Amino acid sequence: YTVFGPALLEAYELETRRAVYPRIVLSESARALVRQHVGYYADGARGSPHNGALLVDDDGEWFVNYLDSARLDEDPNILPYYERLVRRHRRQVRRQIRKYKNVRRVLEKYIWVGRYHNFVCRYLYKSRTDLRIPERLLKHSFVRLHEELART
């Protein structure tokens, strides 16, 4: 099958121009549907399933919170699986940050994923700092010229 049409063009636009980071962003039409749907809940967005399934980034983009499946309020028999998932995600992001430390364009994407990971861990696992990525890996740091020249 070959797919053409406004939906495909909109998806391409979202992916190439608005997603920027490795995330699935919602189009304006999808946001409108979410706004309408959360209106059906007594608590509005706070009481809707969208409150966990979607996040809003600091650039205003709404995106799918794929780590939301690691919620602690799920079946206790499944919780060890969720923790393993979060640990695996943490390990992979750390590995990629180290691997691409000298490829700025790629590194920025993994730093974003690391910040996203830590954000989710803060609200799902509150005090479990062992599941978070060390902040030192998520910061771009500056060095003085003489320090850089001494390393090379």
Side-chain angles (χ1 to χ4, degrees), residues 82-97:
Y82 289 141
E83 185 175 318
R84 281 195 306 275
L85 176 132
V86 170
R87 286 186 182 284
R88 225 174 302 147
H89 188 264
R90 176 184 184 263
R91 188 169 42 252
Q92 185 64 20
V93 172
R94 289 179 68 171
R95 185 178 299 134
Q96 298 305 317
I97 286 173

Side-chain angles (χ1 to χ4, degrees), residues 101-102 141-152:
K101 67 181 180 183
N102 294 319
S141 58
F142 298 96
V143 296
R144 308 261 325 259
L145 177 62
H146 73 277
E147 294 168 339
E148 176 64 21
L149 294 175
R151 289 193 288 207
T152 58

Side-chain angles (χ1 to χ4, degrees), residues 13-101:
E13 175 75 18
L14 287 170
E15 196 276 326
T16 58
R17 298 180 201 264
R18 288 184 38 205
V20 181
Y21 301 109
R23 60 188 177 175
I24 300 170
V25 298
L26 274 66
S27 66
E28 293 305 321
S29 58
R31 288 184 192 197
L33 288 172
V34 170
R35 282 188 186 97
Q36 177 184 358
H37 193 259
V38 299
Y40 300 138
Y41 291 85
D43 264 357
R46 183 179 299 277
S48 79
H50 304 86
N51 196 39
L54 300 173
L55 292 174
V56 180
D57 206 342
D58 61 2
D59 62 2
E61 293 293 348
W62 296 20
F63 68 98
V64 175
N65 180 5
Y66 65 86
L67 284 177
D68 186 61
S69 65
R71 289 173 174 267
L72 279 179
D73 59 355
E74 300 289 335
D75 179 344
N77 297 320
I78 300 174
L79 290 180
Y81 166 77
Y82 289 141
E83 185 175 318
R84 281 195 306 275
L85 176 132
V86 170
R87 286 186 182 284
R88 225 174 302 147
H89 188 264
R90 176 184 184 263
R91 188 169 42 252
Q92 185 64 20
V93 172
R94 289 179 68 171
R95 185 178 299 134
Q96 298 305 317
I97 286 173
R98 288 186 184 108
K99 179 178 178 180
Y100 291 105
K101 67 181 180 183

